């Protein structure tokens, strides 16, 4: 996975978790997602999973340790 993609995915996680991104960060992320189909698909999948989990578990955020473990599994 390219460094640019890794950075975009990391920012997408922040965005999906409700963390604020600056206007420049959001614009850069949106541009990357429009240009990179694998990242676009992955973020779409992550968004659906996040939405489903929040419906099943309430609005409790995912612990950072678990998020890191899942990310590492997805990247391997």
């Amino acid at each position: 996975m390219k460094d640019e993609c890794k950075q975009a995915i990391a920012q997408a996680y922040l965005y999906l978790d409700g963390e604020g991104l600056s206007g420049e960060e959001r614009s850069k992320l949106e541009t990357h997602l429009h240009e990179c189909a694998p990242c676009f698909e992955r973020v779409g999948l992550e968004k659906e999973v996040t939405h489903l989990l929040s419906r099943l578990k309430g609005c409790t955020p995912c612990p950072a340790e678990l998020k890191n473990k899942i990310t590492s599994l997805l990247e391997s």
Side-chain angles (χ1 to χ4, degrees):
M1 180 180 283
K2 296 178 185 178
D3 287 337
E4 184 180 4
C5 293
K6 287 179 184 178
Q7 183 179 16
I9 296 298
Q11 287 182 330
Y13 282 129
L14 292 174
Y15 176 75
L16 293 174
D17 287 344
E19 301 289 329
L21 294 179
S22 71
E24 181 180 338
E25 290 170 325
R26 183 183 306 264
S27 177
K28 190 174 180 179
L29 174 61
E30 289 172 354
T31 299
H32 180 79
L33 294 177
H34 286 292
E35 296 172 352
C36 182
C39 286
F40 178 80
E41 290 174 16
R42 183 167 178 178
V43 170
L45 175 62
E46 296 294 334
K47 184 176 181 181
E48 291 300 319
V49 169
T50 300
H51 178 71
L52 177 62
L53 289 175
S54 69
R55 283 185 31 214
L56 294 174
K57 295 272 190 174
C59 294
T60 304
C62 180
E65 184 177 320
L66 177 59
K67 186 186 305 183
N68 291 337
K69 186 173 182 179
I70 291 169
T71 300
S72 136
L73 290 171
L74 290 171
E75 289 177 349
S76 57

